Amino acid sequence: MRIGVPKEVKNHEYRVTMTPIGVHELVSHGHDVIIEAGAGEGSSISNEEHKGAGAQLVSDPESAWGTHGEVDMVVKEPIAEEYARMREGLTLFTYLHLAADRPLTEELITRKVTAVAYETVQLPSGSLPLLYHMSEVAGCLAPQVGAYSLMKAQGGRGVLLGGVGGVANAKVVIIGAGVSGQNAANIALGMDADVTLLDTDLEKLRMSFWRYNNKVHGLASSKLAIEQHVTEADMVIGAVLIPGAAAPKLVTNDLVSRMKPGSVLVDIAVDQGGCFEDTRATTHADPTYMVHDSVFYCVANMPGAVPNTSTYALTNATLPYTVALADKGWQQALRDDQSLALGLSTHAGQVTNTPVGVAHDIAAIDPSAVLG
C-alpha cells in the first residue's frame, strides 16, 4: 500500500501525521510511505529522520497526495486549496469535523472519497482513542491561552489567575467534564485559579471530586447553573463534545453581554462548531476577537501550537489503525474493527455518518451497507 503524507497547509499548523517511528513500522510491513519534504520540520522532525526510517521524500504536495486505492493522511481537515487533490477512491484518514463543515462534506461526496474521521472512531467503552490525546493537549492549553488573554494588553480584565496575598483568585468556569475539560481543570487548578466544572454526567463529576480532592467545584450543569456561573466568571472554557455532531450552543450572546468586562471565553469545541453562540474559528496568527466587552479565543487547531508533543501523541494513537488500513485495505480493516468502522464518514458519494447527515440535512446510509 502507498501511504501519502502531505505537508499541512492550515494556518500555523505545524503537526505531521507520521513520525519516523510510524514510518519504520509501515515500511517494515512492506508499505511505501511518501512524505512531502519539510512536512515534519514544524514538529522538529527533519527530512533526514523521515528518510532514515524508510520514507520516500517528494518535493510537491501533488506527489504526496494519494490516488485510487491508496491511503492519504493529514492532521487537519483539507481546506479549499486542497480539494482538487482529493480523488475518487482515495482513502482519507484524518480529523474531519464534518458536522461543522458543509463545503468539505460536499467535496468529499462529489469526489467520491472514502473518508475515515479520527474523531468518530469509538471504542465500546464510548471513549474516542484518536481524539483523546489531542483533547488532552487542547485542555491543557486552554487555561494557558486564557490566562494570557486575560492580560490587560490583550484586551482582558487584567486578572492574574492565581491572584496574590489579599487578592481573590480568578474564577474559571469549565463547561464539560470530559477529557479536555478535566485537563483544563487540572491546569487551571495548578495555576491556583478558583475552578468550577459543569457537566450533566454526574459520574464524571464524581471522578473529578476524587481526582482533585474536592478542590474543584463539580456542579450539575443546567441552563440556570451555566447562567449563574458564567456571569461571575473571569474565564469560561467550553469543552463540550458530542461525537461527530455539532456542539450545542450553551453560552448565548445575551449571556456574554452580562459577563464581566474583559472576561475571556476559550472554545475548545470550535472544530465542531463551538458551544458558544458567537464562536467563529480563528487562527494562531489572529486568535481572538471581541464580543460585547469579552475576549473570545477560538483557534480551531489549538494542539498545533505544541506540535512536537502533539505529533508524537497523535502517531502513538493512530499507528495501529493506519497499519490495519494499509495491511488489509480500508474495507476489510473496518469489517474487522467496529470501532474503526464508526469513523467512516463518506464513501462513493454518500454520507455514512448519521450525525453529519443530520447536521447538513443530507441522507446518510449505514456503514454496514458499504462494508457488507
Side-chain angles (χ1 to χ4, degrees):
M1 180 76 76
R2 180 190 187 279
I3 298 95
V5 180
K7 187 175 181 179
E8 298 294 319
V9 297
K10 195 163 188 172
N11 181 280
H12 287 261
E13 180 52 74
Y14 302 109
R15 289 173 289 179
V16 63
T17 51
M18 193 70 63
T19 63
I21 294 169
V23 172
H24 184 272
E25 185 69 17
L26 285 161
V27 170
S28 70
H29 280 246
H31 306 295
D32 295 325
V33 181
I34 314 299
I35 298 181
E36 184 180 353
E41 289 177 354
S43 297
S44 302
I45 300 171
S46 68
N47 288 335
E48 289 70 25
E49 288 176 284
H50 271 144
K51 190 173 181 179
Q56 301 171 40
L57 299 182
V58 294
S59 60
D60 60 282
E62 285 74 19
S63 299
W65 275 81
T67 56
H68 190 94
E70 297 172 343
V71 176
D72 192 76
M73 297 181 68
V74 288
V75 177
K76 289 301 293 178
E77 66 281 353
I79 60 176
E81 69 181 80
E82 297 176 293
Y83 289 167
R85 296 169 188 154
M86 298 190 298
R87 302 174 178 90
E88 181 177 354
L90 172 71
T91 300
L92 180 63
F93 192 36
T94 183
Y95 288 117
L96 288 171
H97 302 291
L98 294 181
D101 195 340
R102 186 180 183 93
L104 177 57
T105 304
E106 292 175 343
E107 288 288 337
L108 292 170
I109 293 170
T110 300
R111 297 177 184 277
K112 298 183 178 180
V113 174
T114 298
V116 182
Y118 289 167
E119 73 274 6
T120 57
V121 174
Q122 190 169 14
L123 300 177
S125 65
S127 64
L128 306 169
L130 305 188
L131 191 61
Y132 191 99
H133 294 301
M134 296 304 98
S135 294
E136 286 183 303
V137 173
C140 289
L141 283 173
Q144 299 180 56
V145 298
Y148 181 73
S149 299
L150 269 173
M151 295 182 184
K152 193 66 177 178
Q154 305 305 316
R157 285 177 51 74
V159 174
L160 185 66
L161 237 59
V164 294
V167 181
N169 298 354
K171 180 175 176 60
V172 176
V173 173
I174 301 167
I175 306 174
V179 176
S180 56
Q182 292 280 351
N183 278 274
N186 188 47
I187 298 300
L189 187 64
M191 298 172 80
D192 287 332
D194 179 359
V195 183
T196 298
L197 193 58
L198 298 171
D199 203 292
T200 56
D201 188 334
L202 297 183
E203 191 58 39
K204 290 179 180 177
L205 297 177
R206 292 187 186 101
M207 181 176 68
S208 70
F209 179 94
W210 296 109
R211 179 177 182 178
Y212 303 117
N213 196 25
N214 201 25
K215 292 179 181 178
V216 169
H217 313 298
L219 300 176
S221 183
S222 65
K223 185 176 180 179
L224 181 59
I226 290 173
E227 182 173 341
Q228 290 174 337
H229 290 278
V230 165
T231 53
E232 298 171 358
D234 296 293
M235 183 194 304
V236 177
I237 297 173
V240 177
L241 173 69
I242 301 174
K249 304 296 185 184
L250 300 178
V251 176
T252 65
N253 177 274
D254 174 67
L255 184 51
V256 173
S257 72
R258 290 182 275 135
M259 292 180 67
K260 298 175 182 177
S263 55
V264 171
L265 297 95
V266 180
D267 199 341
I268 298 174
V270 60
D271 279 322
Q272 293 295 113
C275 54
F276 307 147
E277 183 180 354
D278 295 291
T279 289
R280 58 177 173 82
T282 60
T283 67
H284 288 291
D286 188 16
T288 62
Y289 56 93
M290 301 296 295
V291 176
H292 298 298
D293 293 319
S294 295
V295 181
F296 272 58
Y297 182 101
C298 303
V299 173
N301 59 326
M302 287 177 65
V306 285
N308 188 271
T309 297
S310 298
T311 287
Y312 279 91
L314 184 59
T315 297
N316 289 343
T318 59
L319 186 57
Y321 296 99
T322 307
V323 170
L325 288 169
D327 284 353
K328 302 176 181 181
W330 74 268
Q331 203 164 20
Q332 190 60 48
L334 269 61
R335 285 194 191 110
D336 292 347
D337 187 343
Q338 179 59 30
S339 297
L340 185 58
L342 292 173
L344 187 65
S345 296
T346 65
H347 172 69
Q350 293 182 294
V351 172
T352 54
N353 179 283
T354 298
V356 172
V358 170
H360 301 307
D361 196 24
I362 298 173
I365 64 169
D366 193 283
S368 61
V370 173
L371 299 177

